[in-house]
Structures are given as structure tokens and as C-alpha cells.
Amino acid sequence: MSHPRDVLLGAQASGVSLPVCDHYSGVEARMRKSLQLQAEMTQEFGTCVFDVTLDCEDGAPVGGEAEHAALVTELALSAAPEARVAVRVHPVDHPSFQADIATIAGKAANRLTHIMVPKVESVADVQLAEQALAQAGAKDLALHVLIESPAAVHRAFDIAAHPRVQSLSFGLMDFVSAHGGAIPAHGMGAQGQFTHPLVVRAKLEIASACHAHGKVPSHCVVTEFNDTAAMRAAAQRAAHEFGYTRMWSIHPAQIRPILEAMAPDAAAIEVASEIVLAARAAQWAPISHKGQLHDRASYRFFWQVLERAHSTGCSLPAEVQLFFKD
């Protein structure tokens, strides 16, 4: 019998699937702890529930960029085979960008899930990153990009359309700073970033651009990392109101609230399981479930619920778990 992934075709079904949490760290001790935590939680959940992105842009000391690039390369190469490790390099116009790519992608491309490029302003910047990867012998390595300015938001649809781009992230702090004080500091907070009109517009544009092209929208940071309630509320709003399917973590305490906020609840998993299994038994013809008609359009939605449940380590019925066996 055919697999749901093979049957439920379309832009949404054929898009990129990534863990819902992207955890950033740039200090050596924290990078090592992040990789260890990833291994522990992979064992706990039975799947890798967050990416670890080793940070060169904010992690490298000024004047020590080359040494930091060598360090993150070493960490990526020494990570467990099942680890999901990425690296954020410097922007394409930074003096260390080419060296970052040559060192990191040139030596560890086969161990990396992607390269994150910050401060992308246009498709031309994506093309520069693509060329640098090709020169480093990493022509197949995926690119994730950070949208951090009003001009970049304006070009988000074009950037998301580039075939090498897998995900767009929203850079909240730089976006607010780019407005020269026109957006108050409150717009960078856990609550204000969901109410200021310019910030809200940017979030929605990025999410819409991603969904239009089958890419993953990744939500920005919450700096109040000691406030678990604020973190959970922000993640829930990002997922349920703004269309984001992935979110940044900048502290280990933020990872589980992100997973919880972006995971479907038990009732949603139960309904999705019933409908997908019944649809498969009907060879994907329309069915009636509890008085409602369902066909491939709704099957696709409910299959996506099950994929998100799996990626966040939720418990699934045994028959559904078989869909995710290698």
C-alpha cells in the first residue's frame, strides 16, 4: 500500500521538513554542551528534535575569526553520526565570509545539515553564498538565510524562491535597529514583537514567502530566556497565529517550551491518525469521518499534523509509527 508521503503531492507536501527548534550557541563550552544535549534528547524522544547551529557571526571574537571557524569545523566533524549540526557564518560582505566557507564547508560539508547566512539583502547575496560553497566543494549543501532589514523583507518572496534556500529566519533585533529608533525597544520583547505593526508585517511577509515556495519559516529569538511562560506564549503565537513551523532557541531552557508549543496535542494526533489510516484503507478516495467529508486536500493537512508530531517526539499509534520507520 502506498505511503502518504508519496500520495499527498502538492506544494505543502513536497516542502522541506526540519526539526521545529534551531538552537544557537557560539562559545566553545556551550557549543559542546549543546551537542551533548542534542544527543541526550534524541535518545529520549527517539528522533532528533532540534538542530544545533554553531555560531561564527556572534561567537567569533574580533581578530579570532579563523580560529573560531577551525573550532566549529572540529566540533562538526566530531559530532555523533546522527547529529544535526549547522553553522552560521559571517555575512557575505564580511572580510571573513570566504574564509569561513572555505574552512567550514570545505572540510565538514558532509557532516553539516546546512549553512546559515546572516544579513541577506537580496537574491544576489544568496548567489554569492552559493558560489562560495561551490568553490569549497560543497555544491549540494543547503542554505538557510536571515532576513534582518526592511529591504530584505521586501524581497523575501524572491529570496525564498531560490532553489538553494531551504529556510528563512526573521532577525528581530537587527530589523528593529534598522528603523533608526522608529520602533521602540518594546518591539524586541516577547510581547511587543507580536503587536508592533511593522514587526508583525515583517513576520507575516516572511512566513508567507516561505509557504509560497515550500520553504520553512523560522521564528526569531525571545531574549527573556529565564521567563518560561513568555517563551512558551511567544512560541505558541508564532506557530498558531503567524504560520511559523520552526523557532530559534538561544538558551537550553527554551528548547522544551518550543517543542511543546509547536507539537500537536493528543486530541489532534488522534483525529489525524484516524483520518489518515482510514484514507489509506480507502486507497485515498474520499471518506466520511464523524459526519465530515474528507479528501486529499484534508488528508494532506492531517498527514502534516502527524509529521509534526513525529518531529517533536510525540507519542503516535503503532500503526502510524510504521510510516516513519526507515
Side-chain angles (χ1 to χ4, degrees):
M1 186 75 71
S2 53
H3 193 285
R5 197 178 292 115
D6 299 327
V7 175
L8 303 177
L9 303 178
Q12 297 91 340
S14 60
V16 178
S17 179
L18 298 171
V20 301
C21 181
D22 189 9
H23 180 65
Y24 277 72
S25 55
V27 177
E28 180 176 1
R30 293 173 186 167
M31 290 191 288
R32 294 186 184 278
K33 287 181 180 178
S34 296
L35 290 168
Q36 178 60 37
L37 180 61
Q38 185 190 63
E40 293 170 358
M41 291 183 68
T42 296
Q43 184 173 16
E44 175 186 348
F45 287 98
T47 189
C48 186
V49 292
F50 69 93
D51 285 346
V52 170
T53 298
L54 308 175
D55 192 11
C56 289
E57 185 190 21
D58 291 338
V62 175
E65 290 88 355
E67 292 79 6
H68 196 78
L71 171 62
V72 301
T73 302
E74 173 202 331
L75 291 174
L77 290 170
S78 62
E82 65 276 10
R84 288 186 53 90
V85 186
V87 176
R88 176 166 68 164
V89 296
H90 288 87
V92 296
D93 60 354
H94 190 281
S96 295
F97 171 74
Q98 294 288 346
D100 280 353
I101 296 293
T103 298
I104 299 163
K107 296 179 180 178
N110 65 329
R111 300 304 304 277
L112 297 175
T113 59
H114 61 271
I115 291 288
M116 165 60 78
V117 183
K119 296 179 173 59
V120 167
E121 289 291 310
S122 66
V123 174
D125 288 346
V126 177
Q127 292 169 339
L128 286 173
E130 186 177 35
Q131 292 165 10
L133 287 174
Q135 292 169 3
K139 63 182 181 65
D140 296 324
L141 191 57
L143 286 171
H144 291 199
V145 303
L146 256 169
I147 304 297
E148 304 182 68
S149 74
V153 169
H154 177 70
R155 304 182 186 111
F157 277 79
D158 292 336
I159 294 170
H162 193 286
R164 195 64 174 272
V165 171
Q166 196 177 59
S167 173
L168 268 60
S169 291
F170 177 47
L172 171 67
M173 317 297 279
D174 282 276
F175 179 81
V176 171
S177 299
H179 284 76
I183 300 176
H186 179 66
M188 294 185 285
Q191 295 183 14
Q193 64 174 283
F194 291 100
T195 56
H196 192 282
L198 286 173
V199 181
V200 167
R201 174 180 172 272
K203 288 177 188 281
L204 293 175
E205 285 291 305
I206 291 168
S208 183
C210 285
H211 291 301
H213 294 289
K215 309 301 172 68
V216 176
S218 187
H219 194 262
C220 58
V221 299
V222 171
T223 56
E224 298 93 329
F225 58 83
N226 285 323
D227 190 338
T228 302
M231 180 68 222
R232 184 176 289 107
Q236 288 173 337
R237 294 199 71 178
H240 300 157
E241 299 176 31
F242 287 76
Y244 283 80
T245 57
R246 181 169 160 98
M247 186 167 177
W248 284 38
S249 160
I250 55 172
H251 189 278
Q254 295 183 327
I255 295 172
R256 288 183 188 270
I258 291 172
L259 293 177
E260 293 166 3
M262 295 206 166
D265 61 28
I269 294 171
E270 181 180 3
V271 171
S273 299
E274 291 173 355
I275 291 174
V276 169
L277 291 173
R280 188 168 184 254
Q283 297 184 337
W284 310 105
I287 64 167
S288 174
H289 180 266
K290 296 184 177 178
Q292 287 188 319
L293 177 68
H294 292 281
D295 58 18
R296 292 197 187 192
S298 56
Y299 298 160
R300 184 179 299 119
F301 169 82
F302 289 111
W303 170 246
Q304 290 166 339
V305 170
L306 296 179
E307 286 190 313
R308 191 165 71 253
H310 172 71
S311 70
T312 49
C314 295
S315 177
L316 293 169
E319 195 172 355
V320 172
Q321 288 178 10
L322 295 175
F323 292 140
F324 299 100
K325 297 295 184 183
D326 294 332

